[in-house]
Amino acid sequence: MSEVNFASVIETTAAVAKGDVSATEATQQALKKIEQDDAKINAFNTVASDSALAQAAAVDEKIASGQPVGPLAGLPIAVKDVICTEGIETTCSSNILRGWVPPYDATVVEKLKAADAIIVGKTNCDEFAMGSSNESSAFGPVLNPRDLSRVPGGSSGGAAAAVASGMVAASLGTDTGGSVRQPASFCGVVGLKPTYGGVSRYGLIAYASSFDTVGVIGNSVADAALLHDTLAGQDVRDSTSLPGARESVSDAVEASQDLKGLKVGVIKELNGSGLAGFEPEVVDRFRASVDTVVAAGADVEEISIPAIEATLGAYYMLVPSEASSNLARFDGVRYGHRASGGNTAEMMRATRTEGFGAEVQRRIMLGTYALSAGYYDAYYAKASRLRAKLIADFAAIYSEYDVLMCPTSPCVAFELGAKEDPLSMYLVDIATIPANLVGAPAISVPFGTGAADMPVGIQMIGPKFGEGTICRVAKAIEEAKND
Amino acid sequence: MTKPVSEQSEHLPQGWEMVIGLEVHAELATESKMFSPAKNEFGAAPNTNVHPVCLGLPGTLPVVNRKAVEYSIRIGLALGCEIGRCVWSRKNYFYPDMPKDYQISQYDLPLNGEGELELPSGLTIGIERAHMEEDTGKSTHVGESGRIHDAGYSLVDYNRSGVPLIEIVSKPDLRSPAQAKEYVEELRSVLVAVGASDGKMEEGSMRVDANVSVRPLGSDELRTRCEIKNVNSLRSLTRAIEYEAKRHVDLYDAEERPVQETRHWDEEAGRTRPGRSKENAEDYRYFPDPDLVPLEPSAEWIEEIRASLPALPKQRRESLMALGASALSAGVITQRDLDTLALETVELGADAAKVLKHCENNLADEQASQLDAPRFAALVKMESAGELTATQAKTVLAEMLESDKSPADIAAEHGFEAMDTSELEGLVSKVIEESPGEWQRFCEGDASVRGKLQGFFVGQIMKATQGKADGKAINKILAEKASS
């Protein structure tokens, strides 16, 4: 049995296809690596050894009998623990849902299974995906594989750390305000957030429904493109999923020679010369990445989007508002944790008080307040108008530019406990939330390191269904890094 | 069309009138639920018609049932509502039989805007809106009061959770319990006629909440109203409104004021009681549901639905009234679904007045299927030709429902034949001779004596003819003989 190097989706699936390694062997190796390394990293909430091996055996059976297999045949993959997996505990890293086993698969999980990928486990994250450091998890923080004293980012911290540590070659994350891109940036891997409506949300436990997307994390742009292509498409079970043919992002990436004719806008507010808080090393790496894009033939200009300054406020009004309603169903009546004693109302109150962590409670309170009679217009409605303006601004910009660029995060991975104040934690999202507010696709690609030798991620934001274009730019940056 | 006018209430002291608006919830008769593939069916074993979506399991998403929208548009068209772009909103509150702890409804942009409903009595009642929403599950609180707060435990059945509902909100145009009842009956007929709902109050597929207030007669102010829930029959509805309006008048008389609140009708005690306490006043935090996109029915679709609508109860009543039926009997005949039969029978040349009279007096609900227009017309023609008396015709009609025999055959079997006048005159004379005392009192008595004795003579003659005589003809002969 040859050793699988889980550095690449494409190489792993090719090895299985050629028969160099069986799906079962690949799965066993992933499970062994998780067993060895995860005690210190804490990337997984649940390791689904039995179902993974059964799935792998079924794929091997298909191969042995000469049946056609899917594009991800034999690929061990990890799924963020906010995505429903039939028969595998799904917790949202929360005590309120601990022990819940969904009776159904999310559409993206069905698609992974149809592609013959092997689901090896569920990854740790901030509780209900609410956080930017993975420190709000009821299962304890995930540690950054590059430096165990630092956070992996969040909320998909486990998904990014699992790939960065080589336990798996790929994982599914979710991105509501940067939760795929920011941990990818912190861990030095590639994270792709799709166009809102491009990938089904059915089975993704909602945090903020009009922002939530299912994204992918891998070690290369090509891997991310392949994973995305597997998941994309309209789903009749998700009314917000968009119709229309999807271009193959893999094909776009593969066919890309250079960036000639591409018009790239560098967002002034987020390049270090606008809003404060960007680490100088991050700004340096970003400028270097812009140079590589210019060198690849793109036409690069700096543009200003003044509305960006207000995005953080709008985001932290709208997202908690939706969350306050989405998380109402966790009441102890039907599933998950139930506090004992009292009448029904008292039971519900106690269940939610015990079951939700501090950050989740804070956001529920914030959202409940913003939607309350007498405050709705000043908060929710006003933030919605701001969002509408931002969408209009971006649409106008995309009539002139193909791609926008900025650093993924103003900072590199920080130390655990460094951001105790919630507001300073929220500020970390400044560069990632615009894409969620407007529903745009965005990718983070690593480009060297900044302070403390921690990775720096470069972000490309595209127009609706512009995944192919942002991946082409990301690939140019990735290749420059490798030179 | 008559708009409601000020009306002294017969149930209230002089100088007061009632102001009533109704909210009618009707379950739509779809195969599956509003946003979930689970079956929409009454009476299944608890928690068998469920699916992850209508159980609100984490990660599930709603998908709009197109048929439910179509049914709602049918209702909107029947009520003459403005139909347009609508937005799904979430109504947030915690309750164990509501799996998501919010209800998907429509708030500031409902599917059906303003419309109106014309009642059989001619009153036109304004419709404020008719919006779509999902039903909740059903709780059974096991404990002393059957209420949630002191239950020992509660059972929840989610079969009803997510069943499509339309909520039809009237304007405060109703002025009496009788009008409220008439409105609900007419609305029910419309819902059934367009095929959107079975309208069964006893199965809870139609539920009525009443908003009640009172005001000085002739005033146009709208005073504080109370919403009365738990009204499970038309009888309860009229009783509850009457009780609540009186309660308001009593409060004003005592120089107090009603507080705006939800009250529950207690059928046994015959009174309303406060529902949720004021301290727990709900703030539903409505906001647009981000899991759904706005619904914008195309003009083509709406026209397609309009073209497929059957005749509405109002149009059906009007067709009967064109034949000479009173508004009341047109209402009765339409309610019994006998109007098509009546129209077809008249079309075949039968006398309209006789046809309508049989439909109103001698035929019951759903008997239209046991009779066809040609046989019915043959019967009425025999009656018009004097071959059958009204009483005989009624007997023959009853037997026609039981068999396929022609009215002529049935009449022959009974020996029903027209009796000629001279034969009848002879019989009358014979009966008079046998009862000279009665005849004298008949000739000399006042109207009431005469009326009683007329019944006596008709009875005697009917007995002698085995019911074959025509009562009207007997009366005529009796009157002639008495005055000669």
Side-chain angles (χ1 to χ4, degrees):
Chain A
M1 166 170 115
S2 66
E3 192 73 11
V4 186
N5 173 9
F6 290 123
S8 161
V9 170
I10 291 167
E11 283 166 24
T12 307
T13 51
V16 172
K18 275 192 291 183
D20 293 349
V21 65
S22 69
T24 300
E25 287 161 351
T27 304
Q28 282 167 340
Q29 287 176 32
L31 292 171
K32 195 173 144 205
K33 213 153 182 332
I34 294 167
E35 202 187 327
Q36 283 170 357
D37 297 347
D38 201 43
K40 58 176 195 283
I41 293 172
N42 197 28
F44 283 85
N45 288 345
T46 303
V47 180
S49 313
D50 293 348
S51 60
L53 289 169
Q55 237 191 308
V59 172
D60 285 332
E61 178 65 37
K62 267 193 190 178
I63 295 171
S65 64
Q67 292 175 57
V69 289
L72 302 181
L75 175 76
I77 192 165
V79 174
K80 187 180 180 181
D81 208 11
V82 295
I83 297 172
C84 289
T85 40
E86 185 178 349
I88 304 173
E89 185 177 341
T90 299
T91 68
C92 295
S93 294
S94 178
N95 284 327
I96 210 159
L97 208 50
R98 209 186 268 264
W100 184 61
V101 178
Y104 75 102
D105 273 331
T107 298
V108 288
V109 172
E110 275 183 359
K111 289 196 169 204
L112 287 181
K113 287 181 175 175
D116 289 321
I118 313 295
I119 292 152
V120 293
K122 306 299 290 289
T123 56
N124 198 346
C125 55
D126 282 295
E127 185 178 1
F128 281 100
M130 297 181 189
S132 308
S133 68
N134 217 120
E135 290 170 294
S136 77
S137 168
F139 291 69
V142 177
L143 307 185
N144 193 314
R146 299 275 190 132
D147 176 347
L148 298 179
S149 71
R150 290 175 188 268
V151 301
S155 66
S156 311
V163 173
S165 61
M167 292 189 269
V168 285
S171 60
L172 297 195
T174 62
D175 193 315
T176 303
S179 284
V180 160
R181 291 160 287 157
Q182 186 254 24
S185 169
F186 278 19
C187 293
V189 290
V190 175
L192 172 61
K193 169 216 176 288
T195 303
Y196 181 82
V199 173
S200 170
R201 289 188 298 117
Y202 188 79
L204 155 60
I205 299 177
Y207 162 22
S209 312
S210 73
F211 295 79
D212 292 344
T213 55
V214 177
V216 295
I217 295 174
N219 280 307
S220 70
V221 175
D223 280 1
L226 173 61
L227 292 164
H228 169 79
D229 285 341
T230 310
L231 306 180
Q234 192 182 14
D235 180 6
V236 291
R237 289 177 293 191
D238 175 1
S239 307
T240 61
S241 79
L242 297 168
R246 312 287 201 268
E247 63 164 350
S248 159
V249 180
S250 293
D251 289 353
V253 169
E254 212 168 307
S256 181
Q257 299 293 323
D258 54 40
L259 302 179
K260 283 199 179 80
L262 217 57
K263 197 146 183 213
V264 177
V266 169
I267 303 172
K268 180 170 184 279
E269 284 74 14
L270 302 174
N271 74 354
S273 55
L275 299 176
F278 285 77
E279 291 175 357
E281 298 89 343
V282 169
V283 174
D284 283 348
R285 290 311 300 159
F286 177 65
R287 289 194 176 137
S289 75
V290 172
D291 292 343
T292 69
V293 172
V294 172
D299 179 5
V300 180
E301 280 175 20
E302 187 179 85
I303 59 158
S304 174
I305 311 174
I308 291 228
E309 199 170 349
T311 54
L312 207 62
Y315 178 87
Y316 277 102
M317 275 297 133
L318 296 174
V319 166
S321 294
E322 293 186 16
S324 70
S325 177
N326 284 331
L327 271 63
R329 71 189 70 194
F330 302 101
D331 59 10
V333 173
R334 290 157 301 272
Y335 42 75
H337 176 67
R338 176 189 285 184
S340 55
N343 63 25
T344 309
E346 287 157 0
M347 180 281 284
M348 285 180 172
R349 197 174 301 129
T351 296
R352 292 166 65 79
T353 306
E354 290 172 12
F356 288 136
E359 185 57 31
V360 173
Q361 291 193 21
R362 180 178 298 119
R363 295 191 193 192
I364 290 173
M365 295 296 282
L366 192 62
T368 303
Y369 188 77
L371 289 175
S372 295
Y375 298 98
Y376 182 91
D377 288 335
Y379 296 124
Y380 182 85
K382 192 172 176 188
S384 295
R385 284 196 296 277
L386 221 146
R387 185 182 197 185
K389 181 181 176 345
L390 198 69
I391 290 170
D393 286 355
F394 269 75
I397 289 164
Y398 284 118
S399 67
E400 274 185 64
Y401 295 88
D402 300 301
V403 182
L404 299 179
M405 270 181 82
C406 62
T408 306
S409 166
C411 59
V412 294
F414 43 87
E415 291 183 329
L416 275 94
K419 296 193 189 288
E420 299 254 295
D421 164 37
L423 264 182
S424 69
M425 187 73 87
Y426 298 169
L427 286 168
V428 172
D429 300 333
I430 184 67
T432 45
I433 58 172
N436 298 86
L437 276 161
V438 304
I443 189 168
S444 177
V445 63
F447 193 64
T449 56
D453 206 25
M454 293 306 288
V456 171
I458 309 301
Q459 180 179 218
M460 267 60 62
I461 308 171
K464 177 176 152 188
F465 290 145
E467 280 85 350
T469 315
I470 57 172
C471 284
R472 283 176 58 203
V473 179
K475 192 189 170 203
I477 295 171
E478 182 179 70
E479 282 171 350
K481 178 191 72 178
N482 294 340
D483 284 346
Chain B
M1 285 205 312
T2 322
K3 278 282 171 194
V5 290
S6 285
E7 188 176 299
Q8 165 67 42
S9 170
E10 55 173 314
H11 306 288
L12 298 180
Q14 188 61 39
W16 290 97
E17 69 173 345
M18 297 186 187
V19 179
I20 306 157
L22 298 181
E23 294 172 14
V24 173
H25 287 83
E27 290 182 354
L28 300 173
T30 51
E31 294 284 320
S32 60
K33 294 187 180 179
M34 184 66 243
F35 300 110
S36 151
K39 236 172 143 184
N40 171 17
E41 171 196 40
F42 180 79
N47 295 311
T48 52
N49 287 341
V50 291
H51 177 275
V53 171
C54 56
L55 284 174
L57 291 190
T60 56
L61 295 171
V63 176
V64 175
N65 179 336
R66 186 181 165 91
K67 200 76 192 171
V69 177
E70 188 200 313
Y71 284 164
S72 302
I73 293 175
R74 292 174 85 83
I75 294 167
L77 288 170
L79 297 174
C81 295
E82 299 159 25
I83 299 170
R85 178 177 184 271
C86 58
V87 170
W88 302 99
S89 290
R90 292 187 186 177
K91 180 180 183 178
N92 295 284
Y93 63 101
F94 285 90
Y95 206 79
D97 63 21
M98 196 166 57
K100 302 184 296 295
D101 288 302
Y102 61 80
Q103 179 190 30
I104 305 175
S105 181
Q106 295 176 337
Y107 183 53
D108 43 6
L109 287 170
L111 176 67
N112 298 305
E114 290 194 337
E116 59 186 30
L117 179 65
E118 194 184 323
L119 306 187
S121 61
L123 274 183
T124 298
I125 304 303
I127 302 292
E128 183 69 41
R129 56 190 277 149
H131 66 260
M132 304 182 68
E133 59 188 27
E134 56 177 343
D135 211 342
T136 60
K138 210 169 177 174
S139 302
T140 308
H141 303 298
V142 182
E144 219 165 289
S145 71
R147 304 283 289 270
I148 188 169
H149 57 269
D150 60 359
Y153 60 93
S154 300
L155 300 168
V156 191
D157 177 6
Y158 291 104
N159 282 350
R160 200 181 69 180
S161 166
V163 163
L165 285 181
I166 189 156
E167 180 178 340
I168 302 156
V169 183
S170 85
K171 298 201 172 194
D173 283 354
L174 298 156
R175 296 287 170 268
S176 69
Q179 285 179 10
K181 178 169 177 272
E182 191 190 0
Y183 169 85
V184 174
E185 285 174 332
E186 179 63 7
L187 188 58
R188 183 187 170 279
S189 304
V190 169
L191 298 182
V192 173
V194 300
S197 177
D198 63 17
K200 290 182 182 162
M201 272 185 101
E202 64 281 13
E203 289 184 4
S205 62
M206 191 166 151
R207 306 192 284 273
V208 183
D209 300 334
N211 286 297
V212 178
S213 66
V214 298
R215 67 185 174 198
L217 186 61
S219 149
D220 59 3
E221 65 181 319
L222 290 174
R223 292 196 173 184
T224 304
R225 64 188 155 84
C226 291
E227 186 180 358
I228 317 299
K229 287 187 180 288
N230 195 36
V231 177
N232 299 321
S233 68
L234 289 175
R235 191 178 122 80
S236 303
L237 177 68
T238 53
R239 288 181 71 205
I241 291 171
E242 199 182 315
Y243 173 88
E244 185 63 15
K246 276 185 191 152
R247 192 181 73 84
H248 284 216
V249 171
D250 289 347
L251 284 170
Y252 288 119
D253 282 349
E255 294 189 354
E256 290 175 47
R257 283 166 183 284
V259 287
Q260 185 161 338
E261 62 181 349
T262 299
R263 298 176 67 88
H264 289 266
W265 172 246
D266 182 335
E267 177 71 29
E268 227 163 277
R271 55 166 298 179
T272 62
R273 298 180 192 282
R276 299 185 193 104
S277 67
K278 220 180 148 192
E279 294 77 46
N280 288 334
E282 297 279 0
D283 174 359
Y284 293 123
R285 290 174 283 118
Y286 280 102
F287 76 107
D289 190 333
D291 286 333
L292 291 162
V293 292
L295 180 70
E296 204 159 4
S298 70
E300 296 79 46
W301 193 33
I302 293 173
E303 287 319 306
E304 201 179 293
I305 295 169
R306 194 195 300 277
S308 74
L309 282 184
L312 297 172
K314 175 178 171 254
Q315 295 158 337
R316 291 163 62 186
R317 286 195 301 272
E318 283 168 355
S319 315
L320 292 175
M321 286 162 77
L323 297 180
S326 68
L328 196 68
S329 50
V332 170
I333 294 168
T334 305
Q335 198 92 51
R336 291 185 192 157
D337 253 340
L338 294 167
D339 51 317
T340 309
L341 175 70
L343 292 168
E344 287 173 4
T345 306
V346 173
E347 188 76 9
L348 293 173
D351 176 66
K354 287 193 167 59
V355 168
L356 292 170
K357 206 170 161 200
H358 280 301
C359 288
E360 193 179 350
N361 300 332
N362 305 332
L363 290 171
D365 291 28
E366 288 156 22
Q367 284 188 330
S369 61
Q370 290 158 260
L371 198 61
D372 57 44
R375 289 170 75 221
F376 192 18
L379 172 81
V380 174
K381 283 177 182 173
M382 284 174 72
E383 195 185 348
S384 297
E387 293 164 28
L388 289 172
T389 66
T391 319
Q392 289 168 341
K394 183 180 171 181
T395 308
V396 173
L397 180 60
E399 287 189 28
M400 285 167 71
L401 298 172
E402 308 297 321
S403 74
D404 289 335
K405 288 179 190 158
S406 73
D409 289 348
I410 296 170
E413 279 171 24
H414 282 268
F416 289 162
E417 285 157 33
M419 193 171 280
D420 69 41
T421 314
S422 58
E423 193 184 341
L424 189 58
E425 270 180 4
L427 265 173
V428 173
S429 301
K430 191 168 164 252
V431 170
I432 289 173
E433 277 164 32
E434 286 165 2
S435 315
E438 282 82 358
W439 178 244
Q440 192 178 354
R441 293 205 329 265
F442 178 82
C443 293
E444 293 166 4
D446 63 14
S448 94
V449 171
R450 204 171 167 131
K452 275 182 203 158
L453 286 161
Q454 179 169 304
F456 165 78
F457 284 112
V458 171
Q460 291 295 310
I461 294 156
M462 283 296 183
K463 209 168 140 192
T465 61
Q466 288 154 351
K468 286 182 215 167
D470 182 348
K472 273 187 196 155
I474 301 170
N475 288 336
K476 204 175 152 210
I477 296 167
L478 285 171
E480 279 166 12
K481 286 192 185 291
S483 62
S484 64

